[in-house]
Amino acid sequence: MSRFRLAVVGAGRAGTVHAINARRWLGDAELACVVDTDAEQVRSAGAELGVPAFASLEQALAGDVFDGVVVTTPTFTHAELAVQAAAAGKHVFCEKPMALTVEECDEMTAAAAAAGVILQIGFVRRFQPEFVEAKRRIDAGEIGEPMIVKSLTRGPGLPPVWAHELARSNGMLAEVNSHDFDCVRWLAGSEIERVYTETANVKGAERGVEAADFYDNAVVALRFASGALGTIDGTCPADVGYDARVEVLGSEGLLVVGEHRATALLEIRTRGSGEVPTYASWPQRFEWGYREELRGFVAAAVGGYEPQVGPADGRAAVAAVVAANRSWLEGRPVELGEAAVP
Amino acid sequence: MSRFRLAVVGAGRAGTVHAINARRWLGDAELACVVDTDAEQVRSAGAELGVPAFASLEQALAGDVFDGVVVTTPTFTHAELAVQAAAAGKHVFCEKPMALTVEECDEMTAAAAAAGVILQIGFVRRFQPEFVEAKRRIDAGEIGEPMIVKSLTRGPGLPPVWAHELARSNGMLAEVNSHDFDCVRWLAGSEIERVYTETANVKGAERGVEAADFYDNAVVALRFASGALGTIDGTCPADVGYDARVEVLGSEGLLVVGEHRATALLEIRTRGSGEVPTYASWPQRFEWGYREELRGFVAAAVGGYEPQVGPADGRAAVAAVVAANRSWLEGRPVELGEAAVP
Amino acid sequence: MSRFRLAVVGAGRAGTVHAINARRWLGDAELACVVDTDAEQVRSAGAELGVPAFASLEQALAGDVFDGVVVTTPTFTHAELAVQAAAAGKHVFCEKPMALTVEECDEMTAAAAAAGVILQIGFVRRFQPEFVEAKRRIDAGEIGEPMIVKSLTRGPGLPPVWAHELARSNGMLAEVNSHDFDCVRWLAGSEIERVYTETANVKGAERGVEAADFYDNAVVALRFASGALGTIDGTCPADVGYDARVEVLGSEGLLVVGEHRATALLEIRTRGSGEVPTYASWPQRFEWGYREELRGFVAAAVGGYEPQVGPADGRAAVAAVVAANRSWLEGRPVELGEAAVP
Amino acid sequence: MSRFRLAVVGAGRAGTVHAINARRWLGDAELACVVDTDAEQVRSAGAELGVPAFASLEQALAGDVFDGVVVTTPTFTHAELAVQAAAAGKHVFCEKPMALTVEECDEMTAAAAAAGVILQIGFVRRFQPEFVEAKRRIDAGEIGEPMIVKSLTRGPGLPPVWAHELARSNGMLAEVNSHDFDCVRWLAGSEIERVYTETANVKGAERGVEAADFYDNAVVALRFASGALGTIDGTCPADVGYDARVEVLGSEGLLVVGEHRATALLEIRTRGSGEVPTYASWPQRFEWGYREELRGFVAAAVGGYEPQVGPADGRAAVAAVVAANRSWLEGRPVELGEAAVP
């Protein structure tokens, strides 16, 4: 039985995580090649992983070397790459955020539909066991109707330079909190209807960020179409590690998802003080989910299923992020249904 | 050595908690009498506690039977009772919220100052060990400057009928979340500057609440004068128990305060599922703190110290609650410094 | 209503804990005096607590200054002091271990019975909420019949010098693990029938312990009359703090009692590592229980009830400790029913 | 690059776990075939996994269809199968316990050495992240010298019928607690020197176990060559799920490894009571470790490395189990160095 061949586009951090998983932990798939416009970086990645390296998706598409592509490049390149891959008949796994605008999302969606290929978005939490189980319980009615849905993400380090500018990245709410916007919508079982955002820039200056519209802290108050309320908060850089947790209070119960402790270990070496390992990074926090989502992508592509996280999910998160940024910029609550808001 | 004599005004739930603590768990004080306008309830309470019962504060003041008073009646009565007691030279412990308006707070503050008596507000979390320790660590600079401060309170049951109406109670944000408004301000070490509120009324109708402006869920986005951000959320009735937790993310660290588990116990009786005791009620959640705050009041009164939570703290929380309600009613962020906002 | 007057004998650490609790946290009792043969220590303690100080129990008994006595002196003095107090008609609270031998226990029991006074033993865990709740659940049949009962205690520092010698203290199994022997018997609802002990002396020499039969680590395998099995382990000094936890596996469920974390607080200041407060000492670990047991003693004495932990409990723990030491010395399992074993 | 081909012998529960992992989660290996003497079971397993099925190892060896074998059959068949596979030049992964006697272990070890193949024993905990990290910390000296090492395993269901008899299985201490004997030795960094065992048979009769020497509960007191002490306890069936935890108290610190909660989830649906998912079974508890150990086996076989858990480890655990059973049967502590003990 031949294995599904994956090309990973983008030899940065996310690309490396996916490439290693494809190489090492999938029985039904294999890593076919890596692609990056940085010639040195991609040559090194290819050598390390033992697969061919290409300087562009175009070159990789020239030979019939892969069946599906994993897009992990900067956000502003997603639409072009995804459309190009789909047009060539390749299944597409696209990292979050799906794109910069809902218009781009619509182009990508149309391209995949036209080509008859899968377009899966990298909302990895939907494959992480505790999140999956939470969703199952909510859908089973265990906690009644969601009333309050809260989600947060904190990342340890400064985002890459291209992500400092709002115009090229939609800022931290997109780069970091996209996961939360998707997650609260998924768990609430309802679309986000209104957002209000407060932001702060605490460490930008001292870390050499020059972008004028940079922020590294945000809180967002949410109202869902169902009438449920919510909050999202994000901080990046948080320095002390990666943190992603969700809480859903329903009319009949509470679900707390995720915790700080990374490993079932407690060490006490000082009188009166114990130490627990916590999450240092997102690859560690969602190590299990990253393997599962890639396996899910392969299964959907091979089996011809709808992916578990599709383009409509990606688009909804982009719309919410755009509205949340607008709320901040205009100092007022913003309805997602407003004419000028996508 | 004679003991400090305490009168408890209000024979409801909070009054009973304080009366029992005064009776049973204080070495330096004693319960002198109970006061309530409900003749039957106060007679019964007095009999049970073995102390005289009075139908009004005025009657209790007629004899020299107490040195300090614990006010636990509905919010709209606080100002009058506190002023009356202070005028009679009695030290005053007033349950939260301090009053309905900042004007009332100012009257109470002035009355206590004029009489030279202590006026302590019942923000019990400031006496609860994990909150006290969190404050100590923040003040010691352990987590750097607070960037995000989040606090929540959920109560199991419907508030008393008088508290359904905004006009007589300021609603759930006052009755339940006063604690959070005080707590985030205390832990952030900064005044709340701007608030934005979303509310929902999920269970009101089905539980027979008739007040038009009733809400039982709220989220509030906060900005502090320091530039820090925050959120508060509240739900009451939450049915599944009492829940009060805080999280402070600083520039150099994170502090998580409180947990769901009420007792250091885990029981597994079903394959694949364990049970932990959780907090059923606020007297249980803050059992330790309630004893400590009363002891603190007595110590301050006897020793002539400033109370650990004074009238300025009570006033600040009232101002924030009023602004948060206004934000909800007007659908916009509200600055606490706005002219029309106290 | 006059308060129950308590004399605390022994101005060491346990005595100080009880004296402060009697002074500060009991509504129905008061600290009447402190007693210690160390003249300087007792004078200082009395001054600090604001009560009279006596150099001997005899002197304290000379005036009618107290109603009950709390014995916190070294083990080898318990029997004499308890008998003396009982003979004078004083109620007796005796710290664990009850005494050195079952013969001494029998004398104390007889003296209390003859005088018609209460004799309560300081097994504080029986008053600590999580232990009380565990017992309640076991008795309610929630976990079926206990099959495995495990208990451990670790203390941070070296015991006092008199406790280094087996002859005067019965060693660590008595000084530290008495609590465990009582606790497993109480929770198992069955007498200990057979014990097997292994010990080690790891830190004794380097800390200057000269007693030849000193040990600072022990594990004990247990069989109960019911057929249940168990283990006890102890380490002292453990340096890193105080640790006391129990686990009961029943035919229908598991109960885990106690945890390492002392306060509901988590602090993350280092990437990848969080810090939780742990118990530094036994007064901190059982702070709640110490207040409750003293209140329980007063209630039993005043109300004429049987104490919740009586002399038969103290005796059973002494018998088990003596058998466990013998197992170690003779290198074989020892039946508690053996002729030569008490 | 061709993948390493794995044959799984034994189509029971452990075999299925390994077969699925080999099939689904390994990039460098593939499932080549399944083998079982139960014709119906093996046909069904092969069909489900999409690989050839054989009725005996001999038949599977007839064609050159695999490079390594995973032995998951009953203990009394391990030696013969491992020797047969090794003689045919196949690498061998053998589930625990390695064999029934140390003599069998020696034969297996010699056969593998003679054939120049890998012989890895299935002590999966050595591949489970929290155990691996604990070992790393101990070896780094973080907790000083181990003083007390405790390990427990509880399994939910009755072992298979062949495992009821001591003669064919060495009983629960082998079937269930082999993991603990290996784990304490590994973490203590010292050989087990003396054991004392107590056992009980609580549920055997009511569950229809006829073997006279069956036990379903055991506690073992341990002494290590280093002077450290320890305990092991086991219960099977425990009904309420699978439980495996370790605690190592060193001269300078404590390490607690593992916990009850299976998923980072807390659900509160009842006032005063929360629910956490716990481990229902060993495949769930060590899901991660099972994938890692198989990957480790393949890496060692392909790379020509020593396996991380070799035959000497398997033999040491068998020797300890045999001594522990003997202790129980003879009612005395048993030295592992005794002449008659292997």
Side-chain angles (χ1 to χ4, degrees):
Chain A
M1 188 183 60
S2 70
R3 298 206 269 178
F4 188 83
R5 299 165 306 164
L6 288 162
V8 171
V9 184
R13 200 158 173 218
T16 303
V17 166
H18 287 300
I20 289 175
N21 283 337
R23 170 77 189 72
R24 188 178 289 174
W25 289 110
L26 292 186
D28 291 332
E30 65 190 357
L31 180 65
C33 63
V34 288
V35 179
D36 200 298
T37 53
D38 182 323
E40 183 41 40
Q41 193 169 3
V42 78
R43 180 167 40 231
S44 150
E48 204 164 309
L49 293 157
V51 295
F54 296 99
S56 71
L57 178 57
E58 196 165 20
Q59 291 176 25
L61 285 167
D64 175 27
V65 298
F66 68 91
D67 306 306
V69 66
V70 178
V71 176
T72 69
T73 50
T75 309
F76 58 84
T77 69
H78 285 187
E80 186 182 341
L81 289 167
V83 169
Q84 189 178 5
K90 308 303 185 187
H91 297 287
V92 180
F93 177 99
C94 182
E95 262 301 342
K96 45 50 57 183
M98 186 174 173
L100 275 181
T101 63
V102 294
E103 289 75 17
E104 285 184 347
C105 295
D106 291 339
E107 290 166 29
M108 296 161 75
T109 306
V117 297
I118 299 291
L119 174 51
Q120 180 173 327
I121 309 303
F123 288 128
V124 64
R125 295 177 194 184
R126 296 206 188 195
F127 293 85
Q128 185 71 13
E130 63 271 27
F131 287 78
V132 172
E133 174 66 7
K135 174 65 172 170
R136 189 194 67 71
R137 293 182 180 214
I138 293 168
D139 286 355
E142 292 194 6
I143 61 164
E145 289 301 312
M147 299 192 298
I148 305 262
V149 185
K150 297 167 71 178
S151 185
L152 69 86
T153 306
R154 293 162 187 156
L158 207 57
V161 172
W162 66 265
H164 298 178
E165 288 171 48
L166 208 61
R168 292 208 297 172
S169 68
N170 283 330
M172 186 188 73
L173 286 175
E175 272 305 290
V176 174
N177 294 112
S178 274
H179 287 297
D180 302 282
F181 282 102
D182 178 64
C183 200
V184 298
R185 174 182 169 266
W186 177 53
L187 294 178
S190 177
E191 297 298 329
I192 297 170
E193 196 175 77
R194 185 164 63 208
V195 292
Y196 175 79
T197 304
E198 293 276 359
T199 72
N201 179 355
V202 176
K203 298 180 183 173
E206 74 186 37
R207 306 262 166 123
V209 176
E210 294 176 356
D213 48 16
F214 177 83
Y215 56 86
D216 54 12
N217 281 270
V219 300
V220 184
L222 304 165
R223 172 177 291 278
F224 296 88
S226 66
L229 310 179
T231 65
I232 285 175
D233 69 271
T235 298
C236 191
D239 292 320
V240 294
Y242 190 81
D243 192 359
R245 285 169 294 124
V246 168
E247 201 165 308
V248 185
L249 177 65
S251 53
E252 294 166 33
L254 171 71
L255 261 171
V256 181
V257 188
E259 65 166 334
H260 297 89
R261 192 168 63 160
T263 311
L265 212 61
L266 168 67
E267 188 176 65
I268 308 179
R269 286 191 286 173
T270 306
R271 189 164 168 186
S273 174
E275 188 255 316
V276 292
T278 56
Y279 294 106
S281 65
W282 55 260
Q284 179 197 16
R285 173 65 183 86
F286 290 109
E287 191 170 8
W288 193 276
Y290 278 102
R291 295 183 194 174
E292 291 283 349
E293 76 171 351
L294 208 52
R295 185 175 145 78
F297 171 61
V298 171
V302 170
Y305 312 135
E306 285 293 303
Q308 284 186 50
V309 196
D313 301 311
R315 185 192 194 279
V318 170
V321 164
V322 169
N325 276 327
R326 186 168 175 179
S327 167
W328 160 52
L329 292 167
E330 301 186 3
R332 63 175 183 93
V334 169
E335 309 275 338
L336 266 76
E338 285 183 26
V341 172
Chain B
M1 189 183 60
S2 70
R3 298 208 269 179
F4 189 82
R5 299 165 304 165
L6 288 162
V8 171
V9 184
R13 199 157 174 223
T16 303
V17 166
H18 288 298
I20 289 176
N21 283 337
R23 170 77 188 73
R24 188 177 289 173
W25 289 110
L26 292 186
D28 290 332
E30 65 190 357
L31 180 65
C33 63
V34 287
V35 179
D36 200 298
T37 54
D38 181 322
E40 182 42 38
Q41 193 169 1
V42 78
R43 180 167 40 232
S44 151
E48 203 164 309
L49 292 157
V51 295
F54 296 99
S56 71
L57 178 56
E58 196 166 18
Q59 290 176 25
L61 285 168
D64 175 27
V65 299
F66 67 92
D67 307 306
V69 67
V70 178
V71 176
T72 70
T73 50
T75 308
F76 58 85
T77 68
H78 286 186
E80 186 181 342
L81 290 166
V83 168
Q84 189 177 5
K90 308 302 184 188
H91 296 287
V92 180
F93 177 99
C94 181
E95 261 301 342
K96 45 48 60 184
M98 185 175 174
L100 275 181
T101 64
V102 295
E103 289 75 17
E104 285 185 346
C105 295
D106 291 339
E107 290 165 29
M108 296 162 77
T109 306
V117 297
I118 298 292
L119 173 51
Q120 181 172 327
I121 309 303
F123 288 128
V124 66
R125 294 177 195 184
R126 297 205 188 194
F127 293 86
Q128 185 71 14
E130 63 270 27
F131 288 77
V132 172
E133 174 66 8
K135 175 64 172 171
R136 189 194 67 71
R137 292 182 181 214
I138 293 168
D139 285 355
E142 292 194 6
I143 62 165
E145 288 301 311
M147 299 191 298
I148 304 263
V149 184
K150 299 167 70 178
S151 184
L152 69 85
T153 306
R154 294 162 187 157
L158 207 57
V161 173
W162 65 266
H164 297 179
E165 288 171 49
L166 209 61
R168 292 210 296 172
S169 69
N170 284 329
M172 186 188 73
L173 285 176
E175 271 305 289
V176 174
N177 294 112
S178 273
H179 287 298
D180 302 283
F181 282 102
D182 178 64
C183 201
V184 299
R185 174 183 170 266
W186 178 53
L187 294 178
S190 176
E191 297 298 329
I192 298 170
E193 194 175 78
R194 186 164 63 207
V195 293
Y196 175 79
T197 305
E198 293 275 359
T199 73
N201 179 355
V202 176
K203 298 179 181 173
E206 73 186 36
R207 309 261 165 121
V209 176
E210 293 176 355
D213 48 15
F214 177 82
Y215 56 86
D216 54 14
N217 279 269
V219 299
V220 184
L222 304 165
R223 172 177 290 278
F224 295 88
S226 66
L229 310 179
T231 66
I232 285 174
D233 69 271
T235 298
C236 190
D239 292 320
V240 294
Y242 189 82
D243 193 359
R245 284 169 294 124
V246 169
E247 201 165 309
V248 184
L249 177 65
S251 53
E252 294 167 31
L254 171 70
L255 262 171
V256 181
V257 188
E259 65 166 335
H260 298 87
R261 193 167 63 160
T263 312
L265 213 60
L266 168 68
E267 188 177 63
I268 308 180
R269 286 192 286 174
T270 306
R271 188 165 167 187
S273 175
E275 188 256 315
V276 291
T278 55
Y279 294 105
S281 65
W282 56 260
Q284 178 196 18
R285 173 66 182 88
F286 290 108
E287 192 170 8
W288 192 276
Y290 278 102
R291 296 184 193 173
E292 291 282 350
E293 75 171 354
L294 209 51
R295 185 175 144 78
F297 171 62
V298 171
V302 170
Y305 312 135
E306 285 294 302
Q308 284 187 49
V309 196
D313 300 311
R315 185 192 195 278
V318 169
V321 164
V322 169
N325 276 328
R326 186 168 176 180
S327 166
W328 159 53
L329 292 168
E330 302 185 3
R332 64 176 183 91
V334 169
E335 309 275 339
L336 266 77
E338 286 184 25
V341 172
Chain C
M1 187 183 60
S2 71
R3 298 207 269 178
F4 188 83
R5 299 165 304 165
L6 287 162
V8 171
V9 184
R13 199 158 173 220
T16 303
V17 166
H18 287 299
I20 289 176
N21 283 336
R23 170 77 189 72
R24 187 177 292 174
W25 290 110
L26 293 186
D28 291 332
E30 64 190 357
L31 180 65
C33 63
V34 287
V35 179
D36 200 298
T37 53
D38 182 322
E40 182 41 40
Q41 193 168 3
V42 79
R43 182 169 37 231
S44 150
E48 203 164 310
L49 293 157
V51 296
F54 296 99
S56 71
L57 178 56
E58 196 165 18
Q59 292 176 24
L61 285 168
D64 174 27
V65 297
F66 68 91
D67 306 305
V69 67
V70 178
V71 176
T72 69
T73 50
T75 309
F76 58 85
T77 68
H78 285 186
E80 186 181 342
L81 290 167
V83 168
Q84 188 178 5
K90 307 303 184 187
H91 297 287
V92 180
F93 177 98
C94 182
E95 262 300 342
K96 45 51 58 184
M98 186 175 173
L100 275 181
T101 64
V102 294
E103 288 76 16
E104 285 184 347
C105 295
D106 292 339
E107 290 166 29
M108 295 161 76
T109 307
V117 297
I118 299 290
L119 174 51
Q120 180 173 326
I121 309 302
F123 288 129
V124 65
R125 296 178 194 183
R126 298 205 188 195
F127 292 85
Q128 184 71 13
E130 63 269 28
F131 287 77
V132 172
E133 175 65 9
K135 175 65 171 170
R136 190 195 66 72
R137 292 182 180 216
I138 292 168
D139 286 354
E142 292 194 6
I143 61 164
E145 289 300 313
M147 299 192 297
I148 304 263
V149 184
K150 297 167 71 178
S151 185
L152 70 84
T153 306
R154 293 161 187 156
L158 206 58
V161 172
W162 65 265
H164 297 178
E165 288 171 49
L166 209 61
R168 293 209 294 172
S169 68
N170 284 328
M172 186 188 73
L173 286 176
E175 271 304 291
V176 174
N177 294 112
S178 274
H179 287 297
D180 302 282
F181 282 101
D182 178 64
C183 201
V184 298
R185 173 182 170 267
W186 177 53
L187 295 177
S190 176
E191 297 297 331
I192 297 170
E193 196 176 78
R194 186 163 63 209
V195 291
Y196 174 79
T197 304
E198 293 274 359
T199 73
N201 178 355
V202 175
K203 298 179 183 173
E206 74 187 38
R207 308 261 165 122
V209 176
E210 293 176 356
D213 47 16
F214 177 82
Y215 55 87
D216 54 13
N217 280 270
V219 299
V220 184
L222 304 165
R223 172 177 290 279
F224 295 88
S226 66
L229 310 179
T231 66
I232 285 174
D233 70 271
T235 298
C236 192
D239 293 319
V240 294
Y242 191 81
D243 193 359
R245 285 170 293 124
V246 168
E247 201 166 309
V248 185
L249 177 65
S251 53
E252 294 167 33
L254 171 71
L255 262 171
V256 181
V257 188
E259 64 167 334
H260 297 88
R261 193 168 61 159
T263 311
L265 212 61
L266 168 68
E267 187 177 63
I268 307 181
R269 286 192 287 173
T270 306
R271 189 165 167 187
S273 174
E275 188 256 316
V276 292
T278 55
Y279 294 106
S281 65
W282 57 260
Q284 179 196 18
R285 172 66 184 88
F286 290 108
E287 191 170 8
W288 193 276
Y290 278 101
R291 296 183 192 174
E292 291 283 349
E293 75 172 353
L294 208 52
R295 186 174 144 79
F297 171 62
V298 170
V302 170
Y305 312 135
E306 285 293 302
Q308 284 187 49
V309 196
D313 301 311
R315 185 192 195 278
V318 169
V321 164
V322 169
N325 276 328
R326 185 168 176 179
S327 166
W328 159 52
L329 292 168
E330 301 184 4
R332 64 175 183 92
V334 169
E335 309 276 338
L336 266 76
E338 286 183 26
V341 172
Chain D
M1 189 183 59
S2 70
R3 298 208 269 178
F4 189 82
R5 300 166 303 165
L6 288 162
V8 171
V9 185
R13 199 159 174 221
T16 303
V17 166
H18 287 300
I20 288 175
N21 283 338
R23 170 77 188 73
R24 188 177 290 173
W25 290 110
L26 293 186
D28 291 332
E30 64 189 358
L31 180 65
C33 64
V34 288
V35 179
D36 200 298
T37 53
D38 182 322
E40 182 41 38
Q41 193 169 2
V42 78
R43 181 166 41 230
S44 150
E48 202 165 309
L49 292 157
V51 295
F54 296 99
S56 71
L57 178 56
E58 197 167 17
Q59 290 176 25
L61 285 168
D64 175 26
V65 299
F66 67 91
D67 306 307
V69 66
V70 178
V71 176
T72 70
T73 51
T75 308
F76 58 84
T77 69
H78 285 186
E80 185 182 342
L81 289 166
V83 168
Q84 190 178 4
K90 308 301 184 188
H91 297 287
V92 180
F93 177 98
C94 182
E95 262 300 343
K96 46 50 59 184
M98 185 175 174
L100 276 180
T101 63
V102 294
E103 288 76 16
E104 285 184 347
C105 294
D106 291 338
E107 290 166 29
M108 296 162 76
T109 306
V117 296
I118 298 292
L119 173 51
Q120 181 173 327
I121 309 303
F123 288 128
V124 66
R125 295 177 195 183
R126 296 206 188 194
F127 293 85
Q128 185 71 14
E130 64 270 27
F131 288 77
V132 171
E133 175 66 8
K135 174 64 171 172
R136 189 194 67 70
R137 292 182 181 214
I138 293 169
D139 285 355
E142 291 194 6
I143 61 165
E145 289 299 312
M147 299 192 298
I148 304 262
V149 185
K150 298 167 71 177
S151 185
L152 69 84
T153 306
R154 293 160 188 158
L158 207 56
V161 173
W162 65 265
H164 297 179
E165 288 171 50
L166 208 62
R168 291 209 296 172
S169 70
N170 283 331
M172 186 188 73
L173 286 176
E175 271 305 289
V176 174
N177 294 111
S178 273
H179 287 299
D180 302 283
F181 282 102
D182 178 63
C183 201
V184 298
R185 174 183 170 265
W186 177 54
L187 294 178
S190 176
E191 298 297 330
I192 298 170
E193 195 176 77
R194 185 163 63 207
V195 292
Y196 175 78
T197 305
E198 293 275 359
T199 74
N201 179 355
V202 176
K203 298 179 182 173
E206 75 186 36
R207 307 263 164 120
V209 176
E210 293 176 356
D213 47 16
F214 177 83
Y215 55 87
D216 54 12
N217 281 269
V219 298
V220 184
L222 303 165
R223 172 178 289 278
F224 295 88
S226 66
L229 310 179
T231 66
I232 285 175
D233 70 271
T235 299
C236 191
D239 293 320
V240 294
Y242 190 81
D243 193 359
R245 285 169 293 124
V246 168
E247 201 166 309
V248 185
L249 176 65
S251 52
E252 294 167 31
L254 171 70
L255 262 171
V256 181
V257 188
E259 65 166 334
H260 297 88
R261 192 168 62 160
T263 311
L265 212 61
L266 168 68
E267 189 177 63
I268 308 180
R269 286 192 287 174
T270 306
R271 189 165 167 186
S273 174
E275 188 256 316
V276 291
T278 55
Y279 294 105
S281 65
W282 55 260
Q284 179 197 17
R285 173 66 183 87
F286 290 108
E287 191 170 8
W288 192 276
Y290 278 103
R291 295 184 193 173
E292 292 282 349
E293 75 171 353
L294 209 52
R295 186 176 145 77
F297 172 61
V298 171
V302 170
Y305 313 134
E306 285 293 304
Q308 283 186 51
V309 196
D313 300 312
R315 186 192 194 277
V318 170
V321 164
V322 169
N325 276 327
R326 185 167 176 180
S327 167
W328 159 51
L329 292 168
E330 301 186 4
R332 63 177 183 90
V334 169
E335 309 275 339
L336 266 77
E338 285 184 25
V341 172

